Structures are given as structure tokens and as C-alpha cells.
Amino acid sequence: MITSFFLRAFDGKALLFLAILAAFAIAIPAGNLLFPPDHALHVPIYVVSLLGKYMCYALLALSVDLVWGYCGILSLGHGAFFALGGYAMGMYLMRQIGVCGVYGNAELPDFMVFLNWKELPWYWYGFDAFPFAFLMVLVVSAVLAFIFGWFAFRSRVTGVYLSIITQAMTYALLLAFRRNDMRFCVNNGLTDFKDILSFSVQADGTRSALFFASVAAVAVGFVIARAVTRSKFGKVLIAVRDAESRTRFLGYRVEHYKLFVWVLSAMMAGVAGALYVPQVGIINPGEFAPANSIELVIWVAVGGRVTLVGAVLGAVLVNFAKTWFTGVFPELWLFALVGLFVAVTLFLPKGIVGTIAQGWSALRQRRRSVRAEAGIDEAPYSGEASMKHQAAE
Amino acid sequence: MLPLKIILFALFLALSALAGPSVSFAADGGSDLRSLINELAKGSYDDTERQIGAIATLGDEAAMPALQALGTNDLMARKSDGIVFIVKKAGRNYELFDAITGEAAGEAARRDMERIRINNRLRRAIRSALGELTLMSKNPERRMKAAEQVFKARDPEAIETIDQALQAESDPEIATLLRQARAAAVLNSDASEADKLAAVEGIKERGDQEARALLASTADASEGELHDAAVMVQSHVEQILAAWNAAQNVWYGLSLGSVLLLAVIGFAITFGVMGVINMAHGEMVMIGAYTTLVVQEIIRTSAPWLFDFSLFIVLPLAFLIAGAVGVALERFVIRFLYGRPLETLLATWGISLILQQAVRTIFGANNRKVGTPSWMSGLNEVGGLTITYNRLWIIIFSLVVFAVLVSVLKATRFGLYMRAVTQNRRMASSMGIRTPWVDALTFGLGSGIAGIAGVAFSQIDNVSPNLGQSYIIDSFMVVAFGGVGNLWGMLVGVMTLGVVNKFLEPYAGAVLGKILVLVFIILFIQKRLRGLFALKGRAVEA
Amino acid sequence: MIAQASGSVLYLDDVSVSFDGFKALNSPLVLQPGEMRAIIGPNGAVDLTTLDEVDIAELGIGRKFQKPTVFESQTVFDNLELALKIPRGPFSTLFHRRSEPEKARINELLELIRLTDRRDELAANLSHGQKQWREIGMLLAQDPKLMLVDELAAGMTDAETAQTATMLKEINKTRSVVVVEHDMTFV
């Protein structure tokens, strides 16, 4: 059952995408590790980490696309799940510092010693073990998503109302994590990491491995998302998106579907956050800022929602542009981002990938109608139909 | 430099408004008083006593610090020129302070200064002079203030003076205060238990923070009957205090709610008529606030005498500017996104960021203080309630705006069109109403009112580029909470949210308060939101 | 308002439809299996919105709306598949594989509602009448004991109306149908 579920995800297009990912995952670390620094094919380590960061964003974008593109839930709070995953990983990394910290205290992370805390708060227990921390990455995001979703979907909060409430959720978490008594190292966040799984996070090899893991996570996330959306479950999701009450009349418990995909998406976002933290070396409450969550929605919109590849591409392209822009015209980035978004919503409502797919199928359509005119049956498709069909895939 | 000037000017205004008469009075009598104080150092005890009497007859409160210093042996004359200073020991030297203004006047070696000596007779004279200046002053306001101070001082030695003052007092309100002050002094003295019991009863009516503190310390220091009585009265006072505190919270909540009301009305109208959630709505509030800032700055540099009327110039201007920005927003962006609410949400959010960034670039990211006209500053105490005039004006103002808006929607042709478009866009359009035109104007109206809200906001808080952000979630909550169908529902919703917020704050902290309200709304959002003038029943389903 | 009385499919008691004070209908309505009834009345005469939608589906009543709501971005085939009466929980759909009987049933329904040649077309591109048929197909896919059909003929061409009437008669061979309509020729 499980295999057939996953097998559904693999068709020509998916395999092509996965092959590109695989090539990417191997080429970049190889470029860093195999070629000497002065070689033309050498990839500097900061580029590896930067690309690794993009991959985390890509996974995050996939998770947003899953709920927004396929189920019509525009989450403006996905940054919260990302940050929670990041915090869980950050706590593990803090515990790994051990005696290597400034204070050399094996029991307490530096900032706790600095703030005069006598013992480890209970919710830090267990984070010195990687399996537990990794479990928490999934569980914490999932639990928050479940509680939130359970109330919100049961109350049939939809559309913009849901969006605003998700934003309020991440805003509330931002305020909560900024409070001193939460004991998550207040404003400075968790940083100065040393080791992950007893490999130094600074080492080239570790960074390449983290990059590889990020690409692998994107691949896994892609396969899961594709398997889900191509199953009958995915058809129900689209039905919910297009006509929620009609779906309910068919006897589907819409809130269960939404809850499932919502929690799945939150877990993906959590994993993205967990991979992100060791690569950038810090996690602080700023990650909960509503602006972050909205920005990542823009990646998806630009890349093209309802196309999983589009989400990945959008995240990478927009962040590449951001890196470039903030280097050259730091003040103008915000204007560029918003301008890009407004332009895309006004002129490319399907996003980049969606528009390309649409153009391609229109081309195919024309060929088919030429064939039809040549004497076969009346073409059952109209141009618009196949466009929408394509988007629905 | 600009903000500093603004702040200084505002300060000056506030000071002159608060203390106008007394400042000029002090300036006139200053030289006279100073010579009298300098005379204190001369002659015998008898001469000094006469001088004290003369100072008391002058009736200038400015003499009080010098007289008090004299009573505590801190008044000295400089040997070189005979000028009298209030002194404070600083190592081997004395720090000198002006006897009237209390300003620091350098230091002097011990041997350069001579203490003005006093005896018990003089001490009594000083006390009665102080009493005369304060408790028995001709000015009732000053008497009242003095009685308050005496109450706080709880000085047993003041009982005599208070009794004198009580005999002379004709104002019943001040007499009550004096009796309470006397009771406080008695409690602090070694008077008999019966006297103290009576005093405890006397404190009862006061029911404020000082009374509570006084009773608490009495209860701690006594036992038996007095202790019980003090504890009982204390709990009584605490109840009164809690009630006043609640009233104060309601007051703050209402004033918060009325700024929110102005911010929300526009939000709700655009939401109701067009189904658009305008995330940049908070920025319209910000634009209004910055309009106030700019206009005040211009007035200050070119026509300072206009300052008190500045708000009357600002209000229409803020309405027009914010309204124009709103219309532009609708024409150039939102119009293309009708029927795509999620994209509208995102696009308007993006525009809000751009507006913030633009204002930050022009005016800087700091908080800026906007001046308050004199007629809006000051406060009044009603029982345990502190009513500041700016909040009072804002409540009145927002209710007026609300009333005007209600009548515009009910009685004008534009209001009729708006309601028509809200209820059935296609039908309205086929009846010949130009719906795009209605949309743009509605957006302008909503944004304009937000601009006015910004003017009101600038009168109670600092102005900063991101002040609008916090309003969006609040606005949304109000629409969720009270906007089940009409303006009145929203009025109730706004006020309730304002008050609830204020009540939750001290108990749960602002953060937890927000989270609680959030959870509350998620739980109770069952009724789907429709904005203003929503349709009910089957038509909604279509 | 709705209860399943013994033997009958639908038992409506205390039905009162007042329209501007005029009582349009005020009598118990009992429907036997396999019966076809038409209620002639204005818009909204049969208003089941008070019942939870899922409950209606589980009671074995299929309700068709006057305005067809289709899943526009999915094909006719998908639309019918979504409506099939098979387990509808998230996990059963997640691991669901389309079986041969299901496929056969869908094709049979497509035949009945005369949409076989448009099975792979997006639902959005059907004509109004075809959307109504697809709606009926979706109702039938749920295999209800009773069908409530609200103003079916409104907006249809005459040819479509005639075809619809034949279609409903075919359907009525196996289940009860309540039609709410004000087009008398159709009734």
C-alpha cells in the first residue's frame, strides 16, 4: 500500500526533476571537496552553505505550496513552524557545545550561565540526544499545527480570515519567544554552535554533508507532496479548494483533510527549519516575524503555486535575487520584492512555472487541433481547458 | 534637530499651560521675597521671627523650600555677601542651592558659610508660617494641595496647625481632607487608642492608595482592637481601590477603543463593500499621524500663533492625503485583483511595507513626539479616576466622526450607492450605479477616516513608521468580534476589545493578553464574518 | 423536520412554507421508495441548510442545488469519482487505488448522464445543462435512496429539458426523487 502510494509520485516529469536535484546534490559538494581552491571548478564553502540555505527555503516553499496551492489555505504563519523546527535543532546544537563554551559548563549552555540560571529548564531535557531532538523537530511543529488547525478548521474559518489568524499565531509566538522568562536566550537567539553529531559545523565536510541533506530533504518532501497530491486524497484537496461546501455535501469531512495536509506541511516546514539552523549558525525570535512568513508565500506565488517544482524554483530564484540585491542595493530589496510580487500577481497569476506549463500545453493543444482539422474527431479540449488542467496537476 | 525642537516646544507649551499664572506670580514677587529671605540671616531671634512673619504674609509658596530648610538647619548665609542659600553637605564643602528656585549654585567651603540659628520659638513660627502659606492660604486650590501633602507627611507635630486650619476652613471639601490629614497624623503619633480608632474611621472615606498604605502600616504597628479595625477598614479601602482601578481600566479601554474605532471603521467599510482586506490600512493611520507632524512643524516655524488650531488644519488635510493614497491604491493595484482575496491580502501587505519604508526614508525610523494643543492637555481627577483631556477629546471626537459617518451612509446618495453595491454588486451595476466609482470612493473614504485616526493617535502616543502594523490584527479582531452586521455592532466590538485588552494587560501581560484574545476569537469565530451591512439568510449562500 | 419514518424514505412533518404571509404548503409529506414527487414552489421551498451537510449525505439523501457547483479544475471523471460512495476518510483516500468495479460504475454513470464523450474534459467547460447532468451524476454516484432536485430545468434549453426529464424517469426506476420546480411543462 505504502509503496504503491509512493510509486504514484514518480512519472517522467518528477524523475527529471529528481535527477536534476541529485546532480545538484552531488556536483556542489564535489566541487568544493574535490577541487583545490584555485581550480576553476572549485565551489567556495560559503556558496555551498548559501545553496544549502536556499534548499531549506525550497522545502519550506514546498510545504506552503502543499497547503496553499492544493488546498487553498493561505498560511501567513508558516515561518512559525520553520522557526520551531529551527529552535528544536538549535537547542540540540546548544547542548552539543558542552564544555567547549566560553564558561566551560557542561550542564548549562553559555547564555544560561551568563543569565545566572542555576539549572536546565525541564523543556531542555533530552535535547542532548540527536534522535530526541530530531523527533521534537517533527513533533513540536506537528502539535502546534494540530492544535491550531483543529480549532480553526473545525470552526470553518477559511480564506483571508484563516490567513490573518495564522499570521496572528506567528506574531503571538514572536512576542512569546521575545519574553525573557521563556528561557530561549531572549533576543540574541541560540548561536555559537560547535558540533553536530560530533562533527564540527564549521568544517567543509560537515557543511557539504548538510547541503546534501538539505537537497535530499527537498527530494523527499517533493516525493511525499507529489504522492499526496496525485492520490485521490489530492483530488479531494483540490475539490476542497475549489468548492468547499460542495465537497462537504459529498460526505467528505473537509476539516480532517485540511488538518492532515496542514500538519504534514507544518512538519515539512519544521524539518526545513532544523536543516537551516546549523547552516546559518543562529536561530532567534526574529524568525517568527510575520514578514518572513509572508515573504515565503511570495516565493511560491512567483514560482507558481499548484506546481511543486514552481515552489522550489520560486524559493531559489527569489532568494538568489535577494542575496544579489542586498549586496548591491540593500535599501531597494524590499521595493524589488514587493514590486516583483505585485507584477507577478497582476501579470503572471500562475507564476513562472505555471505560465511556462500553460504555454507548453497551449502549443501541444495547437498541434492537436491541427491534427483534428486533418480529419480526425472534433478535439475534445479547448485551449482554456487544458490550461486549467495543467495548472491543476 | 527637528524633533528636539518639537519636543522642547511641546514641553514649553505644556509647562506654560499648566503653570502659567504661578510662574508669572513668582517672577513678580521674586525679588521682594529674596530680600526678605536674605534678611533672615540678620539680627536677633526676634528679628528673624518677624521676618518669618513677613514672608508668611507675602503668601508666596516659593518661600516654602527656604522655610523648610530653615527648620532643618539647612539654611545658611554666605559670609562674603550675605546671600542666603539652602545647603547640602558635600564632603568638606557645602553644595549651595538657590533659596527660591532650588537651582544648584556651586559649592562653598564650610568656613565661608554661616548657619542661620533657630530655637524652639522660631521652629513654631516656621511651622505656622508654612501652615499659613499652605493650609491657610487664601487660594482654595493651594489649600487643597497642602492638605493632601500634610496627609502624606503623617507628621504628628502638624496636628496643631491642622486644627488651626480646620477652624478657619469654610470649604467643606477641604475640611474633609484636613480631617483625614489630621487622622493620618494622629495614627502616626502616640495618641490614645480611642483617638486612633476614631482616626481609622476617619480614613475610611478616603479609599485611595495612601489610605491603604497608612492603614496597612497602622495594622502592622498595632494589636488588639485597633489592629482589627485597621485591617477591616483596609480591606474596605482595597475594595474601593479595586473599583476605581476597574473604572480607570474601563476609561483607558474606551479611549483605546475610540482610536481603534476610527482605525476600524474604514477597514470595515472597504471590507464590507468590496470584500477587500486592506493590509495597508494601518499605514493610512500612519500617514495621518505623519501629516500631523509635518503640519505642526510648518506652523511652528512660520506661524506659531496658529499652533492651538493646528489640529483643525490637520484633520481635513490628513483625511484628504490618506484618502488620496487610498484611491490611488485602489485604482492602481486592488482593482485588478477583485475576486482574488488572498492575492489582494498579499499585495496590500506588500504596499504597506513600501509605505513604511518610504516614510522611514523620509522621516527616519525614530519615534517622534507630536505636540498637543494647550486645550487638549492637562487632566482632571474624578474620585480615583484620572481623566486626561487628550483622551477625553479623542473619545468625543471619534464618536462625532462615527455619528457623521452613520449619517453619511444613511442619508446621502453616496451612502445609498455604497449599501447597494455591498448588497448586490451586479444588481447595483445594472441599475446604473457606476460600481468602480463607488469602489474608489469607498476606498478613499475608508482610508481618509484612517488618516483622521492617525491624527487622533498622534495625540496619545509617539509616531513611528510602523505604528500602523499593530492596528491590522486589532482591526481584524474587531471585525471578527463585533462586525456581525452593522456599525453599532462594530462600536460595541471596538469598545469591548479596547476594555478587554486593558483588563487583560495587568493580569496576563500584554503578550499573553494578545494570545488570549486570539484564542478567544479562534474559538468564537463560528459566525462567519461579513463586514458591514451584511446580508443575512439565504442570500449569503449565493 | 426530517426523520426516517418506517417504510418511507422521507417523512416531512409540519412543513410550512410561508411566503409573504401566504402559506404555500402545510401538510405532512410522506415519500415511499421508488416514488417521484414534484413540489411546485418558489425558490428555497426545500431548505435543508439547517442540517449538517455530512449528515444529509449519510442519511442517504442526495441534494442537488439550483446553481450547479462543480469542481471546475478537475475533469468530469474526477468529479464523479469524488462523489462515489466509498470510504471518505483522509487515510483511505490517501492510499486509495481505483478498482475496476469503481471504474465501471463511473463509466455507467457517464453513460446515464450522457457525458461519456466528455469524461476527460474539465468540469468548468461544460454547458449549463451538462453541468446539471454532471451534478445528477454526482448525486447518483453517492447512491442515495432519495434525490432532492431543486429547480433543475431553470436555464436549460428545451432540448436539454426534454433529455433531463427522460433521464430522471430512468433514475426513478431505482430510487425516490423529489423535484422542486416551477416549470410546469417539465413537471
Side-chain angles (χ1 to χ4, degrees):
Chain A
M1 196 161 77
I2 301 283
T3 28
S4 74
F5 166 66
F6 280 116
L7 274 177
R8 202 181 284 132
F10 299 101
D11 63 348
K13 281 183 222 159
L15 286 175
L16 177 68
F17 178 69
L18 289 173
I20 294 172
L21 272 186
F24 191 52
I26 293 165
I28 298 294
N32 176 253
L33 297 172
L34 297 183
F35 296 102
D38 50 351
H39 195 280
L41 288 175
H42 177 74
V43 180
I45 194 64
Y46 77 88
V47 174
V48 177
S49 280
L50 192 66
L51 292 175
K53 201 171 90 172
Y54 292 172
M55 284 297 110
C56 297
Y57 289 149
L59 182 58
L60 183 56
L62 268 181
S63 75
V64 170
D65 195 17
L66 194 57
V67 285
W68 185 28
Y70 291 89
C71 196
I73 304 171
L74 172 57
S75 166
L76 297 182
H78 250 55
F81 304 123
F82 182 78
L84 282 177
Y87 261 96
M89 179 55 89
M91 284 159 82
Y92 162 73
L93 293 170
M94 286 310 273
R95 301 295 289 135
Q96 285 301 295
I97 296 173
V99 288
C100 303
V102 180
Y103 296 99
N105 188 327
E107 290 303 310
L108 293 179
D110 274 354
F111 75 90
M112 292 191 189
V113 181
F114 179 73
L115 293 173
N116 260 329
W117 294 341
K118 294 292 170 250
E119 50 186 305
L120 206 61
W122 59 266
Y123 44 81
W124 278 74
Y125 293 164
F127 275 96
D128 39 357
F130 183 79
F132 179 80
F134 188 76
L135 188 69
M136 281 300 120
V137 166
L138 296 171
V139 168
V140 172
S141 314
V143 166
L144 174 69
F146 185 85
I147 294 172
F148 181 89
W150 196 75
F151 281 116
F153 301 140
R154 218 177 62 111
S155 312
R156 303 203 183 161
V157 184
T158 53
V160 283
Y161 315 112
L162 188 68
S163 303
I164 302 257
I165 293 180
T166 55
Q167 190 182 15
M169 171 190 78
T170 190
Y171 185 60
L173 280 170
L174 170 72
L175 296 177
F177 270 72
R178 275 196 182 150
R179 276 167 63 121
N180 288 330
D181 46 0
M182 283 289 284
R183 313 220 152 175
F184 282 117
C185 194
V186 207
N187 275 321
N188 303 329
L190 308 174
T191 187
D192 288 332
F193 307 132
K194 301 280 190 286
D195 293 334
I196 179 168
L197 292 169
S198 56
F199 298 104
S200 164
V201 286
Q202 302 297 333
D204 287 7
T206 320
R207 286 174 165 237
S208 294
L210 281 169
F211 168 79
F212 187 85
S214 306
V215 183
V218 171
V220 171
F222 175 80
V223 169
I224 292 177
R226 196 164 168 87
V228 166
T229 52
R230 286 169 68 90
S231 66
K232 188 176 175 194
F233 184 95
K235 285 181 185 170
V236 178
L237 281 188
I238 291 179
V240 170
R241 181 193 70 190
D242 292 346
E244 181 168 337
S245 62
R246 186 72 183 86
T247 317
R248 221 176 244 125
F249 265 103
L250 284 180
Y252 292 99
R253 293 270 173 196
V254 167
E255 53 276 15
H256 293 178
Y257 279 80
K258 284 184 167 177
L259 195 57
F260 179 91
V261 77
W262 176 251
V263 171
L264 176 67
S265 163
M267 284 159 77
M268 280 166 69
V271 171
L275 284 164
Y276 172 83
V277 167
Q279 299 190 69
V280 296
I282 186 168
I283 174 82
N284 61 26
E287 293 293 335
F288 285 104
N292 285 13
S293 298
I294 297 182
E295 198 177 316
L296 69 95
V297 168
I298 293 182
W299 307 338
V300 178
V302 170
R305 70 194 128 112
V306 209
T307 57
L308 295 170
V309 178
V312 172
L313 212 64
V316 173
L317 285 181
V318 174
N319 279 293
F320 177 73
K322 183 179 185 173
T323 307
W324 181 77
F325 244 102
T326 44
V328 187
F329 313 106
E331 286 90 29
L332 293 182
W333 165 241
L334 202 58
F335 295 98
L337 177 71
V338 175
L340 178 69
F341 173 73
V342 173
V344 165
T345 33
L346 290 184
F347 306 115
L348 293 179
K350 292 178 196 308
I352 296 171
V353 173
T355 309
I356 293 172
Q358 175 184 330
W360 193 56
S361 73
L363 199 72
R364 251 195 340 193
Q365 170 60 31
R366 211 168 305 141
R367 276 198 214 129
R368 191 178 298 149
S369 47
V370 168
R371 245 183 295 147
E373 272 167 34
I376 319 171
D377 229 15
E378 182 197 342
Y381 289 88
S382 75
E384 199 196 354
S386 47
M387 258 150 52
K388 283 198 179 160
H389 195 175
Q390 202 66 37
E393 268 183 11
Chain B
M1 274 328 285
L2 195 75
L4 186 68
K5 265 196 276 175
I6 296 174
I7 291 166
L8 281 179
F9 192 72
L11 263 178
F12 170 67
L13 272 178
L15 278 177
S16 53
L18 275 176
S22 61
V23 165
S24 58
F25 183 76
D28 290 341
S31 57
D32 215 2
L33 179 63
R34 191 172 294 279
S35 63
L36 279 175
I37 288 175
N38 287 339
E39 291 288 310
L40 281 173
K42 293 169 192 158
S44 62
Y45 283 141
D46 284 352
D47 293 330
T48 313
E49 189 177 356
R50 217 172 304 121
Q51 295 299 338
I52 293 172
I55 292 174
T57 3
L58 204 60
D60 188 348
E61 239 180 302
M64 284 177 62
L67 286 178
Q68 276 158 354
L70 184 61
T72 53
N73 285 326
D74 287 328
L75 202 65
M76 298 191 184
R78 188 151 64 194
K79 284 176 188 165
S80 56
D81 51 10
I83 294 177
V84 170
F85 291 97
I86 297 171
V87 300
K88 206 169 123 194
K89 261 189 201 145
R92 243 181 260 170
N93 290 346
Y94 284 122
E95 259 181 84
L96 304 185
F97 298 95
D98 188 284
I100 295 174
T101 61
E103 280 166 27
E107 291 194 4
R110 281 191 183 190
R111 59 188 144 75
D112 294 338
M113 302 299 293
E114 187 176 8
R115 170 163 294 136
I116 305 175
R117 282 176 303 150
I118 52 171
N119 58 12
N120 276 342
R121 192 155 52 91
L122 278 186
R123 278 199 191 96
R124 246 198 320 277
I126 293 167
R127 233 185 344 261
S128 77
L130 280 174
E132 215 167 305
L133 277 179
T134 53
L135 288 176
M136 282 164 276
S137 152
K138 284 187 198 71
N139 182 345
E141 263 177 53
R142 193 172 301 164
R143 287 208 301 276
M144 190 168 311
K145 226 160 122 193
E148 277 294 327
Q149 274 167 358
V150 175
F151 181 88
K152 281 175 200 160
R154 301 182 209 166
D155 180 8
E157 290 180 33
I159 294 177
E160 201 182 322
T161 324
I162 298 174
D163 284 339
Q164 277 174 13
L166 259 174
Q167 269 171 4
E169 188 56 65
S170 52
D171 187 327
E173 206 179 325
I174 301 175
T176 313
L177 266 178
L178 281 172
R179 270 193 295 277
Q180 288 163 354
R182 186 178 189 282
V186 166
L187 283 180
N188 214 19
S189 71
D190 42 13
S192 69
E193 177 123 348
D195 282 349
K196 285 192 174 179
L197 273 175
V200 166
E201 279 305 309
I203 302 290
K204 192 172 177 176
E205 305 148 39
R206 240 187 105 94
D208 64 358
Q209 208 63 43
E210 276 107 32
R212 197 194 63 80
L214 176 64
L215 288 165
S217 65
T218 308
D220 284 347
S222 64
E223 0 176 271
E225 207 180 331
L226 181 58
H227 175 83
D228 296 344
V231 169
M232 216 173 74
V233 176
Q234 187 190 344
S235 72
H236 172 80
V237 168
E238 270 163 8
Q239 277 170 12
I240 298 177
L241 273 179
W244 279 121
N245 195 20
Q248 185 80 55
N249 271 335
V250 169
W251 169 252
Y252 278 135
L254 289 181
S255 58
L256 185 77
S258 47
V259 175
L260 203 56
L261 174 67
L262 291 178
V264 168
I265 293 177
F267 182 81
I269 290 177
T270 46
F271 179 56
V273 176
M274 292 178 277
V276 165
I277 292 222
N278 179 13
M279 296 287 272
H281 191 77
E283 274 54 49
M284 304 301 165
V285 178
M286 178 202 55
I287 287 175
Y290 272 88
T291 308
T292 320
L293 190 78
V294 171
V295 169
Q296 283 196 349
E297 188 53 35
I298 293 170
I299 286 182
R300 200 162 293 148
T301 48
S302 53
W305 48 271
L306 255 178
F307 189 80
D308 268 358
F309 306 96
S310 63
L311 290 188
F312 296 103
I313 304 165
V314 169
L315 281 175
L317 210 59
F319 182 86
L320 288 178
I321 292 177
V325 174
V327 171
L329 182 64
E330 201 276 338
R331 283 289 88 186
F332 292 116
V333 180
I334 293 176
R335 159 163 92 103
F336 302 104
L337 295 172
Y338 283 135
R340 291 160 68 191
L342 298 180
E343 277 91 343
T344 313
L345 190 74
L346 287 169
T348 51
W349 171 81
I351 284 153
S352 81
L353 280 191
I354 287 186
L355 289 174
Q356 278 177 37
Q357 187 64 29
V359 167
R360 206 170 286 137
T361 317
I362 301 171
F363 296 94
N366 315 357
N367 280 359
R368 303 278 288 263
K369 180 93 189 77
V370 172
T372 307
S374 55
W375 50 271
M376 270 182 78
S377 37
L379 54 87
N380 198 355
E381 294 211 4
V382 181
L385 214 59
T386 313
I387 306 237
T388 45
Y389 291 143
N390 54 355
R391 286 180 185 270
L392 185 66
W393 277 113
I394 283 168
I395 292 181
I396 294 170
F397 176 68
S398 65
L399 289 178
V400 169
V401 172
F402 182 76
V404 169
L405 193 74
V406 170
S407 46
V408 164
L409 294 177
K410 286 240 160 94
T412 66
R413 197 150 193 85
F414 173 61
L416 182 68
Y417 285 172
M418 243 170 79
R419 281 179 290 150
V421 173
T422 310
Q423 289 180 2
N424 192 333
R425 176 171 291 269
R426 275 160 74 186
M427 180 62 95
S429 159
S430 48
M431 301 282 283
I433 297 175
R434 288 159 62 191
T435 53
W437 180 81
V438 173
D439 285 340
L441 280 191
T442 307
F443 221 91
L445 179 67
S447 304
I449 295 172
I452 289 182
V455 180
F457 176 88
S458 72
Q459 295 303 311
I460 56 169
D461 209 340
N462 288 331
V463 170
S464 69
N466 44 4
L467 74 87
Q469 271 183 329
S470 56
Y471 277 98
I472 279 304
I473 288 184
D474 279 347
S475 299
F476 184 79
M477 283 184 176
V478 169
V479 177
F481 186 69
V484 273
N486 56 44
L487 283 167
W488 298 106
M490 200 180 63
L491 183 64
V492 173
V494 158
M495 293 306 176
T496 316
L497 193 78
V499 173
V500 166
N501 257 342
K502 271 291 158 197
F503 268 96
L504 282 179
E505 251 171 44
Y507 301 111
V511 176
L512 217 55
K514 272 231 154 51
I515 299 173
L516 282 179
V517 174
L518 186 77
V519 170
F520 171 81
I521 288 193
I522 295 180
L523 287 177
F524 291 88
I525 207 163
Q526 305 273 2
K527 287 202 184 296
R528 268 172 287 170
L529 324 168
R530 311 230 176 274
L532 298 180
F533 331 114
L535 296 173
K536 295 184 188 75
R538 262 178 73 92
V540 170
E541 299 285 321
Chain C
M1 185 169 152
I2 293 186
Q4 279 175 303
S6 55
S8 58
V9 179
L10 179 70
Y11 178 81
L12 291 177
D13 196 8
D14 196 20
V15 183
S16 65
V17 183
S18 54
F19 215 55
D20 284 340
F22 169 70
K23 286 252 166 104
L25 176 70
N26 196 358
S27 64
L29 172 70
V30 184
L31 210 72
Q32 300 303 326
E35 196 177 352
M36 168 132 70
R37 279 280 182 97
I39 299 172
I40 306 157
N43 214 348
V46 179
D47 190 354
L48 296 178
T49 43
T50 46
L51 260 191
D52 187 78
E53 299 91 328
V54 178
D55 291 342
I56 292 184
E58 280 168 4
L59 275 171
I61 301 169
R63 181 193 173 202
K64 206 213 70 58
F65 302 84
Q66 180 190 354
K67 191 179 160 224
T69 42
V70 294
F71 304 126
E72 302 214 328
S73 56
Q74 305 197 26
T75 62
V76 177
F77 188 90
D78 284 344
N79 268 275
L80 288 179
E81 190 190 355
L82 281 171
L84 274 190
K85 194 178 184 180
I86 48 171
R88 292 185 169 97
F91 292 98
S92 39
T93 53
L94 199 54
F95 299 113
H96 177 75
R97 291 186 73 189
R98 197 182 299 137
S99 64
E100 281 310 314
E102 279 170 43
K103 223 179 274 178
R105 171 81 180 126
I106 296 172
N107 286 330
E108 182 191 326
L109 284 170
L110 283 169
E111 202 62 47
L112 180 66
I113 59 172
R114 293 148 177 82
L115 288 175
T116 307
D117 52 339
R118 315 197 63 142
R119 51 174 284 175
D120 290 328
E121 206 158 324
L122 288 188
N125 301 319
L126 298 177
S127 76
H128 176 75
Q130 286 170 328
K131 280 184 188 168
Q132 296 283 28
W133 294 344
R134 190 227 49 144
E135 191 80 39
I136 292 172
M138 285 177 74
L139 274 189
L140 290 174
Q142 291 178 65
D143 202 18
K145 297 193 194 82
L146 167 73
M147 274 177 68
L148 296 174
V149 185
D150 195 358
E151 292 194 33
L152 192 59
M156 278 193 189
T157 61
D158 287 347
E160 280 175 337
T161 311
Q163 272 186 306
T164 311
T166 1
M167 193 188 297
L168 281 181
K169 273 183 201 144
E170 273 173 47
I171 296 165
N172 189 225
K173 284 171 192 157
T174 49
R175 60 200 87 227
S176 316
V177 178
V178 172
V179 186
V180 180
E181 189 59 71
H182 36 222
D183 183 343
M184 288 309 288
T185 52
F186 175 74
V187 173

